[in-house]
Amino acid sequence: MKKSNNSCFLLFFVLLILSVNARAQSKVTGSVTDSLKKPIEGVSIQIMTDKDTLRTTSGARGDFSFHKVNSNKFYLVVKALGYKPFTSVYEIEPSKKGSVLEPITLKTETIRLEDVEVKVKVDPIKIKKDTIEYNAGAYTVRENDKVEDLLKQLQGIEVDEKGAVTAMGKKMTKLRVNGEDFFTSNVEDYIRQLPADIIAKLQVIDDYGDEANFTGIKVGTPQKMLNLVTKPGMDKGVFGGVNASSATNNAHNLGTTGSIWKKTKQIGFGGRYGLTDNEFSKLHNTGLNGNIRDKISKEFSVNANYNFNNNRNNSIQSTYLETFNPQGTIYDLRESANNSSSLNNSINLGLNGATKKNYFNAALSGSLGSSKNNAFSTSDKTGIIRQDLISNSGSRNNSPNIGGNINWSRRLSNNRRSLSMGFNFSTNEGKSNSSINDIIRYYNETTNVLVKDSLLNRLVENDTRSSNVGGNIQFSNSLKRANDSTGYSFINLSYRFSVSRSQNTQNTTVTDKFGASFLVDSLGQDYVSNFINQNISIGFNTNAKKISYNFGLNFSPSIIIGKYQNTGQQLRNYQLNFSPSGNLSYQIKENRSLSFGYNGYTSSPDFNKLQPIRNNNDVQNLIIGNPDLKATTSHSADLSYNQFGAKSGWSIMAGLSGSFAFNSVVSNTIFLRDTLNSLKQQTTYENVNGIYNIGGNYSLNKRLMTNKLSLSLNGNVAYSHNVFYTDNVLNRSSGINLSNAFRFSLNEKKFSVNSSVSYSFSSNTYSILNQNIKNVQVLALNGGASWIPNKRFRLNASASKSLNFGYNLNAGNPLLVNMGMNANFLKDNRLGFTVQANDLFNQGALFQTSITNNSISENRTRFISRFVQATLTYSISKFGDKRIRSRVNNFNTGELN
């Protein structure tokens, strides 16, 4: 009996313990993201208590959950390859059956090997759904190299002379470092300041904006963003310096920059002064800027920047213009000399914040600018018109502007729903005074003898005021269960509106040959316009491990109401527009991705093209608007494919794009006879269909010698089809542009060599004048080399030869040769001296050509291209600390797989 009682008591005690444990068990959920707030899949997560250890991995959305945590206090360990481990102790309230942890952000970490030299094969490229990642350790980084030098080695990326970066033909618009906004976020400002040896990875990201990353609703056309991932400990520093340069073309510049970067705190400033004075250019430029970015709490950060610019510029240009029409061809040779000055001030303020449930952004900006311009130009027309125009004009403009916006988003119902709202406003003013003095010389069409001079002096005063308010609201709802780790899908509804008002007053005073001035009503304007636009859209979004896509439909009703105060005329233009949109990103296999984007949008005609009032500002081209114009519906699509073979070293990047439009607004140029039986133009506007563009680009790259040698073949092809009117006759033009280039690049620690051969061809055909054809061909040879015998000295040289065919202006076949030398002194190479000789044979010129409807324009800007420039620079570049830097310099940033 006693034994039976003992057994019952033991059973009762065990049941009691189990019941207590059962009551203590609770559910713990959370999510894991990287520094860009993107979810990380497959992360190893452990919860350790004094009684048990639980393990799981994160899903496609980075989410994880533990259903039976038997203690209200536990130790959490999060580990993922390529990221720093995360550990923390949590304590939850015993009364809660479930707890949601704050989102866990993992920081990037590369494998660090100390005191042991290990050589591994590093994959230079990783291709993901919406990101192309370049491993800096796979490329040659020399002493004193900047991020710009590293970018120039990357396939699919181009850096021009001004530092503008493009990725597969699309411009980089935003810069981040370790996933955080970096100072002004301007790519050009900092790729020439940041040293390349602190960078571990470079990521080219299709960015839809911070709010889209928060809500998961990624619609519209993404922008290209550059994110730099630094080596461990290199997320802080002080950099900047002072530089002074002087050149034989009488150009002198002085500049200074300074930046303090302490992870979340960023303070920067800069200043410049430039002076150029020679026979072609007279420039006087002054600029100041300052910016600050800092976290005021764990969730919120503020940023502010100020810019001041004062510029004066004198320049000389030559332009040759061919215009085709049914009556014949007009040849126009224009020479112009411009003297302009501008003074601008701008300030921007911002507040950004994000918590687990809320995203907030507010910005306020203002600017105050003034400008003056004096121009003297001549226009000599031949062909079916024999006429000269001599014009002397001067203008003054003032334009204060202010604008701002507020955006807020909130996740609802356990992150399954979200609500977003926004408001924006802007107001602009502009006042200008223009003095225009024209002399028109008329010639006899047969004998080319001067018949008459016509003098017209005018004073045109403009006063423009405009304001705009707008807002939006968006709601999304998840279509999957909260614990579904295969991905997420949701449907979203949004409404946007904008209301704008513009008022313009123009008075024209004419002075006759006797010096008397009088106001001409027919040359004046006084109108008020109101534009109301609304957009209603419905969309579907999904994001899984290998595929992400969205598509939607947009409805946009709009109305323009205009009134002419001096005549009492009114204008009403109603539009109801419909357009679809969609995006797709697909990870086919590792390092192989496909993306597709389609976007449709509508745009209402500009009010100046709608108003039926005659504009006589240009005496040789009268302009009359068309109040019956319809809105233009445009559609664009692009397809891109990226592939990298880790074993073969081959990488392929290719893309196709196209666009077409309905009800495009085009000009209708009519040639009229004046009182002297000479021709002048009158331009009106019409809607047409049939304008479209198709293009493609490709880049094939083969890397050899441990990525030091690069062979690439790049090219693009584009076909454009335009429709326009001339003398009320519908005409068409088509153009084909082809370009191909073979490039060779070898980058060693002590030297680099690069060369390329490129060929471009453009052909333009018109449906008038017996299929008039314009062909331009350019064959170019380019080469360059650098020699770096030690870390303090560098020599460089470059040469290019162009063979140009088909231009009307003398483009020549220039041979451009440049040479330079750079030497560094003092500790850490702080003092630098550079000598650069440009265009040793004096054959350069800035030459451009463009095509618009039935006109071909060739432009040449004259300037001094042969000069020698000397630059002295004192710079500071300190990142991390000595202990971290010495450690970083001894490891390879490659990843062991």
Side-chain angles (χ1 to χ4, degrees):
M1 184 72 178
K2 185 176 181 180
K3 185 176 180 180
S4 177
N5 290 337
N6 290 338
S7 299
C8 291
F9 176 78
L10 179 61
L11 179 61
F12 172 77
F13 180 76
V14 171
L15 292 174
L16 178 64
I17 295 297
L18 290 176
S19 65
V20 170
N21 286 339
R23 286 195 299 270
Q25 288 177 348
S26 61
K27 181 180 179 182
V28 175
T29 61
S31 61
V32 184
T33 65
D34 60 14
S35 58
L36 290 174
K37 307 303 180 186
K38 293 186 176 181
I40 308 175
E41 183 182 7
V43 177
S44 173
I45 304 162
Q46 295 182 26
I47 280 184
M48 291 180 283
T49 68
D50 56 350
K51 300 176 182 180
D52 200 2
T53 298
L54 304 176
R55 295 178 176 86
T56 188
T57 57
S58 61
R61 296 186 64 181
D63 53 331
F64 64 88
S65 63
F66 294 92
H67 294 276
K68 296 182 180 181
V69 180
N70 55 20
S71 175
N72 67 317
K73 187 174 183 179
F74 56 86
Y75 185 68
L76 183 71
V77 180
V78 181
K79 292 182 179 180
L81 183 64
Y83 297 91
K84 293 181 180 179
F86 173 87
T87 60
S88 183
V89 176
Y90 291 87
E91 186 171 359
I92 60 178
E93 296 181 15
S95 60
K96 287 188 175 181
K97 295 183 179 180
S99 179
V100 180
L101 306 181
E102 290 289 332
I104 299 169
T105 301
L106 296 185
K107 296 183 179 179
T108 303
E109 181 182 49
T110 52
I111 296 176
R112 182 166 65 238
L113 301 175
E114 298 183 28
D115 302 323
V116 178
E117 183 178 356
V118 178
K119 294 183 178 179
V120 295
K121 184 177 180 181
V122 180
D123 292 343
I125 302 175
K126 283 189 175 182
I127 296 174
K128 306 175 184 178
K129 282 189 299 184
D130 56 359
T131 302
I132 299 178
E133 182 177 274
Y134 302 87
N135 193 323
Y139 301 90
T140 302
V141 178
R142 308 176 191 85
E143 191 79 20
N144 301 321
D145 272 2
K146 303 299 182 184
V147 171
E148 178 186 18
D149 301 303
L150 184 55
L151 285 169
K152 290 179 178 179
Q153 299 182 51
L154 308 184
Q155 183 194 2
I157 293 182
E158 299 287 340
V159 185
D160 67 13
E161 295 178 353
K162 296 181 179 179
V165 184
T166 56
M168 290 302 291
K170 296 183 179 179
K171 186 178 179 180
M172 291 278 190
T173 58
K174 195 173 185 178
L175 172 68
R176 284 186 169 175
V177 176
N178 297 328
E180 300 289 338
D181 289 329
F182 195 70
F183 289 90
T184 62
S185 293
N186 190 307
V187 179
E188 293 92 331
D189 285 348
Y190 292 97
I191 62 171
R192 291 180 172 177
Q193 296 188 55
L194 291 174
D197 63 354
I198 71 169
I199 304 300
K201 299 175 183 178
L202 306 94
Q203 298 172 332
V204 177
I205 302 170
D206 289 335
D207 179 51
Y208 292 85
D210 293 338
E211 187 173 358
N213 292 331
F214 178 83
T215 61
I217 303 173
K218 298 180 178 181
V219 296
T221 303
Q223 296 180 325
K224 290 293 183 181
M225 179 175 71
L226 176 64
N227 181 56
L228 303 175
V229 180
T230 64
K231 296 175 182 178
M234 295 291 108
D235 55 353
K236 59 182 177 180
V238 177
F239 57 97
V242 180
N243 66 83
S245 66
S246 184
T248 55
N249 62 344
N250 204 20
H252 314 281
N253 293 277
L254 178 66
T256 180
T257 61
S259 300
I260 300 173
W261 176 32
K262 294 183 178 179
K263 296 184 179 180
T264 59
K265 177 178 289 187
Q266 303 168 14
I267 302 174
F269 66 89
R272 60 178 174 80
Y273 175 82
L275 178 64
T276 300
D277 189 356
N278 56 56
E279 60 180 311
F280 296 125
S281 299
K282 296 183 185 297
L283 308 175
H284 189 182
N285 304 318
T286 305
L288 294 171
N289 66 82
N291 59 83
I292 184 171
R293 186 184 298 273
D294 194 12
K295 277 190 173 294
I296 57 177
S297 68
K298 182 180 178 181
E299 294 85 11
F300 286 90
S301 64
V302 295
N303 63 276
N305 67 76
Y306 169 76
N307 284 278
F308 166 81
N309 291 286
N310 185 9
N311 302 316
R312 285 182 286 171
N313 181 20
N314 290 4
S315 62
I316 300 175
Q317 286 187 332
S318 300
T319 302
Y320 178 81
L321 186 69
E322 287 186 18
T323 302
F324 305 100
N325 64 82
Q327 300 182 43
T329 305
I330 301 173
Y331 307 96
D332 190 359
L333 180 61
R334 301 177 182 179
E335 300 281 348
S336 64
N338 294 277
N339 179 2
S340 63
S341 64
S342 62
L343 179 66
N344 294 285
N345 295 270
S346 65
I347 187 169
N348 297 276
L349 305 172
L351 174 65
N352 300 275
T355 64
K356 180 183 176 182
K357 290 289 186 180
N358 295 278
Y359 168 82
F360 179 80
N361 167 264
L364 182 66
S365 62
S367 65
L368 179 62
S370 63
S371 64
K372 294 190 299 182
N373 184 71
N374 294 303
F376 177 80
S377 63
T378 62
S379 171
D380 299 329
K381 288 183 171 65
T382 57
I384 61 171
I385 295 179
R386 180 67 176 95
Q387 192 180 96
D388 296 341
L389 172 65
I390 301 173
S391 181
N392 191 357
S393 63
S395 64
R396 293 175 177 267
N397 298 275
N398 292 284
S399 54
N401 307 297
I402 189 171
N405 63 79
I406 297 176
N407 297 285
W408 170 75
S409 297
R410 179 172 175 81
R411 291 175 177 153
L412 308 170
S413 184
N414 199 23
N415 297 336
R416 295 187 61 192
R417 298 182 177 91
S418 67
L419 178 66
S420 301
M421 291 186 290
F423 172 79
N424 62 82
F425 75 95
S426 65
T427 177
N428 307 281
E429 292 185 15
K431 293 184 178 182
S432 66
N433 296 281
S434 302
S435 176
I436 306 172
N437 303 312
D438 293 331
I439 300 176
I440 305 176
R441 293 175 177 171
Y442 298 93
Y443 295 84
N444 183 281
E445 294 182 357
T446 304
T447 63
N448 284 333
V449 175
L450 180 65
V451 176
K452 181 182 178 181
D453 283 350
S454 176
L455 177 64
L456 179 60
N457 298 328
R458 289 161 292 156
L459 177 63
V460 181
E461 298 176 319
N462 264 295
D463 188 352
T464 302
R465 300 180 181 182
S466 62
S467 59
N468 178 81
V469 294
N472 66 83
I473 184 169
Q474 180 174 263
F475 174 76
S476 67
N477 183 57
S478 175
L479 301 179
K480 287 195 174 185
R481 296 187 304 273
N483 59 356
D484 191 342
S485 61
T486 61
Y488 60 87
S489 298
F490 51 83
I491 190 169
N492 61 281
L493 300 169
S494 67
Y495 170 75
R496 300 176 184 272
F497 75 93
S498 65
V499 180
S500 60
R501 178 181 175 86
S502 179
Q503 181 175 1
N504 179 267
T505 303
Q506 176 178 301
N507 295 314
T508 302
T509 303
V510 174
T511 304
D512 61 20
K513 61 182 179 178
F514 302 106
S517 299
F518 52 93
L519 193 66
V520 180
D521 292 337
S522 62
L523 299 180
Q525 298 177 1
D526 187 358
Y527 66 82
V528 176
S529 66
N530 297 280
F531 176 52
I532 302 173
N533 184 58
Q534 301 177 83
N535 179 276
I536 303 169
S537 66
I538 181 172
F540 176 80
N541 292 254
T542 189
N543 184 17
K545 181 178 180 180
K546 288 191 172 184
I547 188 170
S548 300
Y549 60 88
N550 67 75
F551 58 86
L553 300 175
N554 306 288
F555 301 88
S556 302
S558 63
I559 180 175
I560 296 178
I561 302 174
K563 182 178 181 180
Y564 301 89
Q565 307 292 351
N566 50 357
T567 64
Q569 289 180 273
Q570 289 190 349
L571 167 67
R572 290 180 178 267
N573 188 288
Y574 298 91
Q575 308 285 345
L576 178 59
N577 309 307
F578 163 79
S579 60
S581 63
N583 289 284
L584 168 72
S585 296
Y586 179 51
Q587 187 81 29
I588 303 173
K589 292 183 179 180
E590 184 180 3
N591 281 334
R592 187 180 300 178
S593 70
L594 181 72
S595 64
F596 173 77
Y598 174 79
N599 190 35
Y601 59 94
T602 58
S603 56
S604 296
D606 183 87
F607 185 79
N608 292 321
K609 295 181 179 180
L610 288 168
Q611 59 173 337
I613 303 300
R614 184 185 302 268
N615 185 336
N616 292 333
N617 287 349
D618 186 345
V619 294
Q620 291 183 309
N621 185 17
L622 310 180
I623 299 176
I624 304 175
N626 180 0
D628 297 323
L629 290 177
K630 299 178 181 179
T632 301
T633 303
S634 302
H635 302 266
S636 63
D638 62 85
L639 175 70
S640 63
Y641 174 80
N642 299 301
Q643 175 183 336
F644 172 69
K647 294 182 178 180
S648 65
W650 277 101
S651 55
I652 302 172
M653 297 180 180
L656 294 173
S657 62
S659 65
F660 62 94
F662 296 104
N663 292 322
S664 300
V665 177
V666 300
S667 61
N668 180 12
T669 303
I670 304 172
F671 289 87
L672 305 173
R673 293 284 176 177
D674 59 16
T675 56
L676 294 176
N677 202 33
S678 182
L679 292 177
K680 64 179 180 181
Q681 294 184 123
Q682 176 178 285
T683 299
T684 58
Y685 301 97
E686 303 289 344
N687 287 115
V688 298
N689 295 324
I691 294 180
Y692 60 88
N693 298 275
I694 303 172
N697 58 73
Y698 69 91
S699 174
L700 305 177
N701 184 268
K702 172 69 173 178
R703 305 195 70 85
L704 303 166
M705 297 173 57
T706 320
N707 298 318
K708 294 179 180 179
L709 175 62
S710 173
L711 303 176
S712 63
L713 182 65
N714 306 278
N716 64 71
V717 57
Y719 175 81
S720 61
H721 186 269
N722 292 304
V723 180
F724 56 93
Y725 281 91
T726 303
D727 278 341
N728 296 318
V729 177
L730 186 64
N731 294 288
R732 294 173 175 84
S733 69
S734 60
I736 299 177
N737 293 277
L738 300 169
S739 67
N740 291 276
F742 174 77
R743 292 184 172 91
F744 162 91
S745 177
L746 176 62
N747 288 279
E748 294 281 0
K749 284 290 185 180
K750 295 291 185 180
F751 68 91
S752 67
V753 179
N754 64 83
S755 63
S756 67
V757 180
S758 64
Y759 171 77
S760 66
F761 169 81
S762 64
S763 175
N764 296 278
T765 305
Y766 296 89
S767 61
I768 52 180
L769 289 183
N770 299 319
Q771 299 294 316
N772 215 302
I773 298 175
K774 178 73 172 180
N775 296 328
V776 173
Q777 301 179 73
V778 178
L779 176 64
L781 307 174
N782 298 275
S786 294
W787 179 47
I788 309 100
N790 56 62
K791 65 180 182 180
R792 294 186 179 273
F793 191 76
R794 179 180 297 198
L795 290 174
N796 62 79
S798 65
S800 65
K801 175 66 176 179
S802 297
L803 303 177
N804 302 294
F805 307 95
Y807 290 107
N808 290 307
L809 289 178
N810 181 21
N813 299 309
L815 172 63
L816 307 179
V817 178
N818 307 312
M819 298 185 68
M821 178 274 291
N822 176 258
N824 294 284
F825 309 93
L826 302 182
K827 184 180 179 180
D828 297 329
N829 296 324
R830 291 187 176 183
L831 183 64
F833 178 70
T834 302
V835 176
Q836 184 72 30
N838 294 275
D839 191 12
L840 297 180
F841 300 125
N842 197 28
Q843 296 187 15
L846 185 60
F847 190 85
Q848 295 177 325
T849 183
S850 62
I851 298 171
T852 305
N853 292 338
N854 60 328
S855 297
I856 298 177
S857 175
E858 297 175 3
N859 179 277
R860 178 192 295 275
T861 301
R862 287 179 278 176
F863 67 105
I864 296 176
S865 60
R866 179 170 61 183
F867 62 89
V868 178
Q869 178 174 284
T871 303
L872 187 65
T873 303
Y874 182 83
S875 61
I876 298 174
S877 182
K878 182 180 180 182
F879 293 85
D881 53 46
K882 292 183 179 180
R883 178 180 61 83
I884 293 176
R885 174 168 286 278
S886 62
R887 185 185 301 166
V888 168
N889 287 337
N890 288 323
F891 80 94
N892 193 314
T893 59
E895 294 181 0
L896 296 171
N897 295 317

